[in-house]
Amino acid sequence: MDKDTHVPAAEAAPPVLGPVFGGLASVRVHDAALSGAGTDGEDGLAFSPERLRYEQEQGYFNDIYLLAPVGYFVLAFDTTLLQMNLVGADLLGLQRSNPGRAKFRDYVAPRFLADFDAFVHGALNSSSPQRCDLQMTRGRAGEQGYPVTLRASADGSGQAFRLVLELAEGKLAALERSEERFRRIVHSAQEGIWEIDAQSCTSFVNPKMASMLGYPIEDIVEQPLVAFMDDEGRAILERNIAQRQQGAGSERHEFKFIRRDGSALWTTLVTNPIFDARGVYLGALALVTDISASKASSDLIWHQANFDALTALPNRHMFQDRLGQEMKKAKREGLTLALLFIDLDQFKQVNDTLGHEQGDALLVQAAARISDCVRASDTLARLGGDEFTVILAGLEQVASAERVAQNIVAALARPFALGGEQGEVSASIGIACYPADAATPEELLRHADQAMYAAKKAGRSRYHYFTQDLQLAAQHRQRLAADLRSALAAGEFELAYQPIVNLASGVIERAEALLRWRHPQRGVLHPGEFIEHAEHSGLIVEIGDWVFRRAADQAKQFQSALGRPFQISVNQSPVQFRGDPAWCQGWLEYVARLDLAPRSIVIDVTEGILLDGAAEVLQRLRSYREMGLQVALDDFGTGYASLSHLKTFDIDFLKLDRVFVQDMAGDSGDLALCEAIVVMAHKLGLTVVAEGVETAAQQALLVQAGCDYAQGYVFAHALAPDELLALARSGVPLIGK
């Protein structure tokens, strides 16, 4: 409600709720009628056209009048009953929840009809409330009437007017009769009535409310309202109480109570604040309606409208809504969104050969396989038939969609077990990207569909981009991925080793393993020329596993040849770091077979990893430590790692990036910064390794700064294993030593 206005004396209901509900003496009544919250059909009200037009124009019925001790009605111009409260329904002998097309005029004693018509005409054509004394019946022929006083006024909508009916008796008799009637109505009401005090403890419930919850009344009284609610209901209630204490009017909310048997009781709860004469908040009165059946029905209707009945995936309707929302989000955050349009090749043959039942079973299995290939945050939907879509949101680069598409193609290429038979299909996938390929959801879907048909024309069981440039780049990546897979199988990868020198002794105690690809046509390739492609194709995990095992073999050989401990550092890609931890368990078993101390291997990770989900990163680093592996933070100073990261995560070595070393001079800020980092690292128990040391002067300054280790061209480039072994046996000369 926008505001509350005082009810004119001629219309106000006497504040007699107190004696019925535990002695609360006064109720502040607001004239929010016809503009506040109220019943909207969930209690089974039969809507006439007038009633529907009225509620669309005026909003909900003001629920505070439902509990007023006088009859309160909202009437159409022809006096058709649009709304009425509990007392009004009792006086007319009607069901409040289903008045049908009854007209109030039919309950006026015949000899008073002319007076009533004049009264209505005056109410509709006058700005002031009208009053009329007459007799009413319950609509039955020959029934003796009972005297009443009517008060009415137009509501300002031009479509209805409100009417208050009060028995015409002596003032004291009327009050007593009203309270007696009201007490009877409350106790026999088909809606729950609940009163709480200022501390939100129950001071009254009627039998219907107790029955709805499944408790005896005595087990509810004096109990906190929240004792019968779940967490969601408690949170909403707390907000409502705060509003009540600030003097807010009645409101309607949907709550979930918990019945005695543990089942859910969905209700609408209309609460009205109760104040004393000084305006002090005393508690609240609530009218509770059971909507469990309609809630279950509406949930079912919503689910049927938004989800596919066969696969339980979002259907076309929900997909379109999600796509629109995700595109808006991508625009706000400046990220890329990829839409995959998936069509099953040869599905019709399976359907025709094995029957529709097995065809449906294949679709269910296909949905599950596709779901396994995407993130929980992605949206997989079935548009109909054998067509599926996947919304890949929050991508930093377009190529990230390729791995998902590749996995889906591979997953759907496996045979399907169908009732003792096997069904085989493949997948043609079209990829369209936002914002590069389309500006609207409809356009993006259309372009992904076109790309899917291009994949079919190209031979099926593949994916295709909508944009030609992206497709050419994807084909290049596919060829390179195939080459990488062949290289791994053909043994074309090798490791070179850059020595890491102890600056105090000149002894080479460790080395960094650097991957090289000896390409049969292009010669030796460095990681920058192929690692990104290995990450996009997913091969980085297998390549990383090969690197670890080869480095472990080499560490064992170095230790045997030198007769002392020797460590080898291996770089771990962020993609590899976030991958399946099962690879790591395989490493532990491998070093155990070699009889190699796990600390012989150091895992180099980049700063950016520390920002990717702290809990997961911390767990992975701890698992390395539990295995006995050590961890180095590579390229420190170029990313976003902070002191808190170094303190929180399990790090053994800090590798100082070459940018701090290359411009170092005796009086430079870089030297001061380097000294500060070394001191800080030592305080945290970390060992510092300087990278990219190229001159004797840089080496001398690092010694002065207290740095522990260094690597770089001043000592050696990356070496073959036998070259490193020879250098390690002789050591390197140190400046000033």
Side-chain angles (χ1 to χ4, degrees):
M1 291 175 287
D2 296 330
K3 65 178 181 177
D4 296 327
T5 54
H6 182 65
V7 180
E11 299 180 44
V16 296
L17 300 183
V20 180
F21 296 102
L24 297 179
S26 177
V27 178
R28 182 181 298 168
V29 180
H30 301 281
D31 183 19
L34 316 178
S35 63
T39 52
D40 61 351
E42 74 277 3
D43 56 357
L45 295 176
F47 280 85
S48 65
E50 296 89 348
R51 182 191 192 89
L52 181 59
R53 285 195 302 271
Y54 175 76
E55 292 199 350
Q56 289 174 336
E57 185 71 25
Q58 289 292 356
Y60 298 128
F61 183 65
N62 179 19
D63 293 276
I64 195 169
Y65 285 99
L66 288 172
L67 298 175
V70 294
Y72 189 90
F73 305 87
V74 180
L75 308 180
F77 288 165
D78 64 354
T79 77
T80 297
L81 289 158
L82 302 179
Q83 303 262 11
M84 58 184 165
N85 68 351
L86 293 172
V87 170
D90 181 71
L91 289 172
L92 298 186
L94 292 172
Q95 292 185 18
R96 190 189 71 83
S97 61
N98 189 20
R101 299 279 297 176
K103 294 184 178 181
F104 187 90
R105 189 177 186 276
D106 295 338
Y107 295 85
V108 176
R111 63 194 181 92
F112 289 94
L113 286 174
D115 294 339
F116 176 76
D117 292 340
F119 162 71
V120 171
H121 182 270
L124 295 177
N125 292 279
S126 173
S127 59
S128 60
Q130 302 294 303
R131 171 176 172 152
C132 178
D133 295 319
L134 47 76
Q135 286 191 352
M136 301 284 297
T137 71
R138 291 180 179 269
R140 292 189 287 268
E143 183 180 84
Q144 184 174 353
Y146 53 90
V148 300
T149 297
L150 302 181
R151 297 183 180 87
S153 62
D155 70 345
S157 69
Q159 297 189 30
F161 67 99
R162 57 194 176 206
L163 184 148
V164 176
L165 183 158
E166 187 175 352
L167 292 176
E169 302 172 288
K171 188 171 184 180
L172 182 58
L175 180 61
E176 292 175 350
R177 183 75 61 87
S178 293
E179 291 183 1
E180 180 183 350
R181 175 182 292 106
F182 194 59
R183 186 180 297 107
R184 173 175 55 80
I185 292 171
V186 164
H187 281 267
S188 61
Q190 293 305 301
E191 290 159 298
I193 299 173
W194 202 329
E195 184 190 67
I196 60 173
D197 61 20
Q199 287 70 47
S200 299
C201 287
T202 304
S203 51
F204 173 86
V205 291
N206 70 341
K208 178 62 176 179
M209 188 69 252
S211 174
M212 287 162 61
L213 288 171
Y215 288 95
I217 291 177
E218 58 269 21
D219 288 355
I220 303 176
V221 174
E222 299 184 359
Q223 293 297 315
L225 184 60
V226 295
F228 307 97
M229 289 182 167
D230 63 0
D231 290 341
E232 181 183 5
R234 294 186 187 107
I236 297 174
L237 181 67
E238 288 172 1
R239 292 197 297 270
N240 290 347
I241 291 173
Q243 293 171 348
R244 297 291 167 271
Q245 293 170 340
Q246 295 170 6
S250 68
E251 290 188 6
R252 167 182 293 267
H253 290 285
E254 193 173 279
F255 287 91
K256 184 174 75 174
F257 288 98
I258 306 301
R259 291 189 176 99
R260 187 177 188 177
D261 62 6
S263 62
L265 169 65
W266 282 98
T267 70
T268 53
L269 188 66
V270 179
T271 56
N272 298 286
I274 302 173
F275 303 87
D276 65 12
R278 296 169 297 169
V280 176
Y281 175 75
L282 299 176
L285 185 64
L287 184 75
V288 185
T289 304
D290 184 353
I291 61 166
S292 298
S294 60
K295 175 71 173 175
S297 177
S298 62
D299 286 349
L300 177 61
I301 292 171
W302 181 87
H303 193 275
Q304 290 173 339
N306 290 281
F307 288 87
D308 174 52
L310 178 64
T311 62
L313 295 176
N315 61 13
R316 181 182 291 271
H317 178 267
M318 176 168 278
F319 158 75
Q320 290 172 333
D321 180 71
R322 293 261 184 96
L323 182 60
Q325 295 299 324
E326 291 293 353
M327 288 177 69
K328 291 177 182 177
K329 183 178 179 182
K331 182 177 182 179
R332 286 195 308 268
E333 299 179 359
L335 296 174
T336 294
L337 178 149
L339 176 62
L340 276 56
F341 195 112
I342 306 164
D343 184 86
L344 302 185
D345 307 315
Q346 295 93 37
F347 174 72
K348 186 177 185 300
Q349 291 89 317
V350 173
N351 219 17
D352 293 343
T353 304
L354 301 181
H356 291 289
E357 183 176 344
Q358 298 304 328
D360 287 348
L362 187 148
L363 291 173
V364 172
Q365 293 182 43
R369 293 187 188 184
I370 299 172
S371 180
D372 289 340
C373 297
V374 301
R375 303 167 297 181
S377 58
D378 299 325
T379 296
L380 167 61
R382 181 188 176 208
L383 299 190
D386 59 351
E387 294 179 341
F388 298 85
T389 54
V390 177
I391 303 171
L392 301 175
L395 302 180
E396 294 183 358
Q397 49 189 353
V398 173
S400 300
E402 284 183 37
R403 184 178 178 185
V404 177
Q406 290 168 348
N407 290 341
I408 294 174
V409 169
L412 295 179
R414 301 196 306 269
F416 291 83
L418 303 172
E421 301 285 344
Q422 276 197 347
E424 293 189 3
V425 298
S426 60
S428 294
I429 302 177
I431 305 175
C433 301
Y434 173 82
D437 296 339
T440 66
E442 297 76 16
E443 188 179 26
L444 189 66
L445 179 61
R446 185 169 64 252
H447 289 173
D449 187 24
Q450 292 172 5
M452 181 273 293
Y453 278 106
K456 281 187 177 293
K457 291 180 181 178
R460 303 181 177 181
S461 192
R462 66 192 64 217
Y463 61 89
H464 198 285
Y465 279 100
F466 171 74
T467 305
Q468 186 62 25
D469 289 344
L470 289 177
Q471 180 60 21
L472 292 174
Q475 291 172 346
H476 172 70
R477 287 191 292 270
Q478 286 179 302
R479 288 193 295 269
L480 190 54
D483 289 346
L484 283 168
R485 196 175 297 280
S486 298
L488 192 58
E492 295 174 3
F493 291 114
E494 58 188 45
L495 294 181
Y497 300 90
Q498 185 170 47
I500 300 175
V501 179
N502 186 320
L503 291 178
S505 64
V507 175
I508 299 174
E509 298 179 358
R510 45 182 50 90
E512 179 177 355
L514 301 171
L515 182 62
R516 300 289 184 262
W517 179 8
R518 194 168 293 279
H519 197 282
Q521 285 82 40
R522 299 170 60 189
V524 177
L525 301 180
H526 288 240
E529 300 175 80
F530 61 86
I531 284 295
E532 182 179 353
H533 299 291
E535 290 178 333
H536 290 318
S537 66
L539 281 172
I540 189 64
V541 176
E542 296 177 53
I543 294 173
D545 182 63
W546 179 89
V547 169
F548 181 93
R549 293 169 187 265
R550 186 70 191 93
D553 292 338
Q554 196 62 64
K556 181 66 175 178
Q557 295 175 25
F558 285 152
Q559 290 178 9
S560 298
L562 295 172
R564 59 180 171 84
F566 194 91
Q567 281 187 321
I568 293 182
S569 297
V570 295
N571 293 285
Q572 187 164 55
S573 158
V575 175
Q576 185 185 7
F577 185 86
R578 301 184 195 105
D580 188 350
W583 289 101
C584 306
Q585 297 303 318
W587 295 348
L588 184 60
E589 296 168 2
Y590 190 75
V591 296
R593 288 201 302 270
L594 292 176
D595 194 23
L596 179 70
R599 64 179 291 110
S600 302
I601 303 296
V602 179
I603 305 295
D604 284 10
V605 299
T606 58
E607 285 185 274
I609 285 177
L610 303 188
L611 305 177
D612 293 349
E616 291 78 6
V617 172
L618 189 59
Q619 181 58 41
R620 178 61 65 88
L621 293 178
R622 282 177 177 167
S623 69
Y624 288 163
R625 294 293 293 271
E626 290 169 359
M627 292 165 56
L629 303 173
Q630 292 194 302
V631 178
L633 187 61
D634 204 5
D635 302 328
F636 180 79
T638 60
Y640 302 95
S642 65
L643 296 180
S644 62
H645 286 122
L646 299 180
K647 184 179 178 181
T648 301
F649 296 102
D650 291 312
I651 304 294
D652 300 285
F653 295 91
L654 194 65
K655 300 191 76 171
L656 193 62
D657 190 80
R658 65 183 67 246
V659 297
F660 292 104
V661 176
Q662 59 189 10
D663 296 326
M664 192 183 300
D667 59 350
S668 72
D670 286 328
L671 176 59
L673 185 56
C674 181
E675 290 175 336
I677 292 174
V678 170
V679 170
M680 177 229 14
H682 287 170
K683 289 286 187 182
L684 294 173
L686 305 179
T687 300
V688 181
V689 180
E691 299 179 289
V693 184
E694 298 182 355
T695 67
Q698 292 170 352
Q699 176 189 339
L701 290 171
L702 287 169
V703 172
Q704 177 184 329
C707 188
D708 303 297
Y709 291 89
Q711 65 183 96
Y713 295 163
V714 69
F715 305 115
H717 289 66
L719 304 172
D722 56 345
E723 295 173 325
L724 177 64
L725 182 59
L727 187 61
R729 282 175 171 150
S730 62
V732 297
L734 295 179
I735 304 299
K737 295 289 184 179

